[in-house]
Amino acid sequence: MPDRRQLDVAALRTRHPQHFGGPGRERPVAIVFAGMFLLLVLGMANLGFFQWKTIAGIGKLWDVILLMLPPDPGTWSLFQLYFWGLVETIAIALLGTLTAAVLALPLSLLAARNVTAARLVNFLTRRSLDTIRSVDILIWALIWIGVVGLGPFAGVLAFATSDIGSFGKLFSEALETADHKPVEGILSTGGGRLLSVRFGILPQVFPVLASQILYFFESNVRWASVLGVVGAGGIGLQLAEAIRTLELQQASFIILMILVAVAMIDFISSRLRFALIGRRERTS
Amino acid sequence: MLLAALLVAIALSSVAAEVSPSLFWAKIGNFTGYFGRLLHLDSGALVFSDPVEWFWGIGRWLRLLGETLVMAYVGTVLGAIGAFFLAFLAAANVTPNRWLSMAVRRFCEFCRTVPGLVFALMFVIAFGLGPMAGVLAVAIHSLGTLGKLFSEVVENIDMKPVEGVSSTGAPWHVAMRFGALPQVSSSFVSYALLRFEINVRESAVLGFVGAGGIGMDLFEAIRKFYYSDVSAILVMIVVTVALIDILTGMIRHRLIDLVEKH
């Protein structure tokens, strides 16, 4: 009796060659992976991964982790200091996010193709938004510190400027997906362009915008906790100080506080988001 | 009701964050003035009039920018490799063990909630000043975010191929390799590319805490008020980020086309 399995495979291979991975089909993927791997190894060598210092560092890292346990704020007054730092952090994130959203809305109208017909205006607005976005929030924070001085206000302004870029892009994309029929309806009753945007487009996209604002608020609370590292207010100042002076138990306590606060805010704001746009939101 | 709560929250936050419009209006001139100064050389001439003088440190900055890119690349790849393995453990539909899945999820959550800069600060203590600390910070943060995204991709797969492979008696890792991986690989690559874009931006500021890359020079220039240096470095960062965005965008579109063709 001949080996039927062998026969079947051979027959299938001739009938459906596209389902059998031949050497020709796998080769490009393999080359790309090999190239990426080579780049990885070269990069690691370049950055000093394969040196004695690194291996010693792993030992030291272990010591650092041991020194962080258990988390301990030290004294009651320090705990109060951290608590207010955390409140300040959340306040910075809230105000910065809202200000950015308010400022970004008119810009997103200029960037959206279905609202502003002039291609040149679209293009210029988009490029400016991209430029704002590609400068990191910490750089904005340093610039604003130079303007209004050290403190949380600089942090608020940093979020306000840096998020204009992201919000402008996201809002304009949301605007562009809006249905055009309500706009035509309003135009046909004699309403002007501005009215058609206000009553034709904005009601459609408002829930999406609100959920994006909430989402950014969540992520900004995380980011706000590092603004203090450069002196722009919030708990990051205490955290950076604790790490730099090797008060590692206090540092881990602060990290723990941030984790709890972020978890609580995530919980509340995801509830709000679901209430705004329903549970089935995952489109992309 | 909700609006009232929001207004109260804004008012309280304004007090907590020491918001002061009067200070803002008094000092806004500094902001525009700052950008004005960014565009002038020490000699007082506009930067565009003498590009050679403006970019006097281009050799050093390009090297640091290269280091930043390498940091972002190595960090992303290491994070993605870790996330790749964790994703299959964390995804609710294919996890070998529910408790393991819980543990992996919490771990990823921890890695992504603690900001990269905080990790960098701690790694600087362990590894000393230099890019090593930055790479590890980028890698851990990427592990957290990609772990979550990857596991969500795995949770959305069609389970039939996995069941098919399992029904032949194949062990778990084989079922994952031939049942799940072909469905998720292109999304994984796409997310990793997006993460790379973000990491380039992040790596550029890790130098603020001494963790390598162009951030160190930028921080120094800002702190020492070398205005034209600040603008030169910023221009280089913005251009690099834009180029990377365009490049990864092209690769991602190719990838999507590739998937749709199959």
Side-chain angles (χ1 to χ4, degrees):
Chain A
M1 189 173 167
D3 190 344
R4 283 189 54 183
R5 232 173 21 171
Q6 280 300 327
L7 274 175
D8 278 350
V9 170
L12 282 172
R13 193 184 281 276
T14 46
R15 257 185 295 158
H16 307 286
Q18 72 273 24
H19 293 306
F20 287 86
R25 213 180 96 164
E26 303 278 333
R27 197 173 289 150
V29 179
I31 290 174
V32 169
F33 268 100
M36 282 176 64
F37 185 73
L38 192 69
L39 203 59
L40 178 69
V41 173
L42 283 178
M44 284 168 80
N46 184 5
L47 297 173
F49 263 73
F50 310 117
Q51 289 174 359
W52 278 111
K53 203 178 104 185
T54 312
I55 297 158
I58 293 169
K60 254 194 248 167
L61 189 61
W62 185 242
D63 292 343
V64 169
I65 292 170
L66 285 182
L67 279 174
M68 293 181 84
L69 299 172
D72 177 17
T75 61
W76 173 242
S77 64
L78 270 178
F79 173 74
Q80 281 176 313
L81 187 71
Y82 297 158
F83 181 78
W84 287 113
L86 199 59
V87 172
E88 197 177 275
T89 303
I90 297 169
I92 292 172
L94 179 71
L95 287 177
T97 315
L98 287 176
T99 318
V102 170
L103 296 176
L105 191 61
L107 287 175
S108 69
L109 293 176
L110 289 180
R113 292 217 175 90
N114 56 341
V115 179
T116 306
R119 283 280 175 278
L120 186 67
V121 178
N122 293 156
F123 179 78
L124 288 178
T125 318
R126 270 154 198 256
R127 286 293 88 80
S128 338
L129 291 174
D130 284 349
T131 311
I132 293 176
R133 221 152 27 93
S134 57
V135 175
D136 195 88
I137 173 107
L138 283 175
I139 300 171
W140 284 117
L142 282 174
I143 293 174
W144 280 114
I145 285 172
V147 177
V148 295
L150 292 167
F153 190 34
V156 173
L157 293 170
F159 270 117
T161 27
S162 132
D163 280 355
I164 285 178
S166 325
F167 275 145
K169 180 183 156 72
L170 288 172
F171 287 3
S172 66
E173 279 167 4
L175 290 170
E176 284 179 354
T177 59
D179 188 3
H180 200 60
K181 290 195 196 86
V183 179
E184 281 167 16
I186 288 165
L187 287 177
S188 70
T189 63
R193 279 212 64 79
L194 212 62
L195 283 174
S196 75
V197 171
R198 165 67 188 83
F199 294 101
I201 294 183
L202 284 186
Q204 288 186 56
V205 295
F206 178 74
V208 180
L209 301 196
S211 98
Q212 273 163 353
I213 294 171
L214 273 171
Y215 186 76
F216 263 76
F217 172 59
E218 283 171 45
S219 94
N220 281 349
V221 173
R222 285 163 215 214
W223 276 111
S225 54
V226 296
L227 279 183
V229 175
V230 296
I235 199 161
L237 178 65
Q238 280 97 8
L239 179 56
E241 208 170 286
I243 293 177
R244 283 186 179 138
T245 53
L246 293 180
E247 299 282 359
L248 292 173
Q249 286 183 321
Q250 293 173 15
S252 61
F253 187 79
I254 297 176
I255 292 174
L256 208 64
M257 283 174 76
I258 297 175
L259 286 177
V260 172
V262 167
M264 272 161 51
I265 287 174
D266 279 7
F267 178 74
I268 297 170
S269 103
S270 66
R271 278 293 179 82
L272 276 174
R273 266 191 292 145
F274 287 143
L276 276 168
I277 56 173
R279 287 219 160 239
R280 304 294 308 162
E281 59 159 323
R282 303 180 49 82
T283 46
S284 60
Chain B
M1 233 289 282
L2 207 64
L3 204 65
L6 189 63
L7 286 178
V8 171
I10 291 175
L12 288 178
S13 306
S14 310
V15 177
E18 299 167 19
V19 169
S20 111
S22 59
L23 178 73
F24 182 72
W25 286 121
K27 298 289 179 80
I28 186 67
N30 285 0
F31 185 66
T32 45
Y34 193 90
F35 283 95
R37 265 168 286 161
L38 282 184
L39 294 179
H40 287 86
L41 294 169
D42 284 345
S43 61
L46 266 177
V47 283
F48 309 107
S49 64
D50 193 353
V52 178
E53 177 66 26
W54 189 21
F55 285 99
W56 65 275
I58 189 147
R60 179 185 159 75
W61 294 333
L62 274 180
R63 193 178 58 72
L64 283 171
L65 207 56
E67 188 178 274
T68 308
L69 288 181
V70 175
M71 279 166 62
Y73 176 77
V74 173
T76 314
V77 174
L78 290 181
I81 292 174
F84 175 82
F85 290 109
L86 290 185
F88 292 101
L89 300 177
N93 53 346
V94 297
T95 181
N97 178 321
R98 225 157 43 86
W99 293 107
L100 186 67
S101 153
M102 273 281 283
V104 171
R105 274 155 191 260
R106 290 295 89 76
F107 175 68
C108 287
E109 209 170 272
F110 173 77
C111 291
R112 91 177 162 260
T113 304
V114 179
L117 212 64
V118 175
F119 279 122
L121 273 169
M122 279 185 305
F123 291 143
V124 166
I125 301 176
F127 294 98
L129 294 171
M132 184 71 200
V135 175
L136 289 179
V138 172
I140 288 198
H141 201 72
S142 307
L143 178 75
T145 41
L146 287 178
K148 178 191 157 80
L149 290 169
F150 284 6
S151 70
E152 279 174 0
V153 172
V154 174
E155 280 174 1
N156 284 327
I157 62 169
D158 183 2
M159 282 301 282
K160 287 189 202 101
V162 180
E163 281 162 19
V165 179
S166 300
S167 69
T168 63
W172 183 78
H173 68 270
V174 177
M176 289 302 107
R177 164 66 184 83
F178 294 101
L181 186 60
Q183 296 185 53
V184 296
S185 51
S186 64
S187 308
F188 277 18
V189 174
S190 174
Y191 276 131
L193 280 171
L194 262 180
R195 191 68 225 170
F196 176 61
E197 281 177 43
I198 300 171
N199 283 343
V200 171
R201 270 167 242 194
E202 267 195 44
S203 310
V205 296
L206 282 175
F208 285 16
V209 296
I214 188 115
M216 284 203 213
D217 271 35
L218 179 61
F219 193 58
E220 205 181 301
I222 294 179
R223 276 288 155 93
K224 292 182 176 167
F225 303 105
Y226 297 152
Y227 293 104
S228 62
D229 287 12
V230 174
S231 58
I233 295 176
L234 279 183
V235 166
M236 289 176 70
I237 292 178
V238 169
V239 170
T240 312
V241 169
L243 282 178
I244 298 268
D245 279 9
I246 293 170
L247 207 71
T248 53
M250 266 161 49
I251 300 176
R252 269 187 294 128
H253 283 298
R254 274 280 189 81
L255 214 64
I256 293 166
D257 289 348
L258 210 70
V259 173
E260 279 171 355
K261 247 185 245 163
H262 273 281

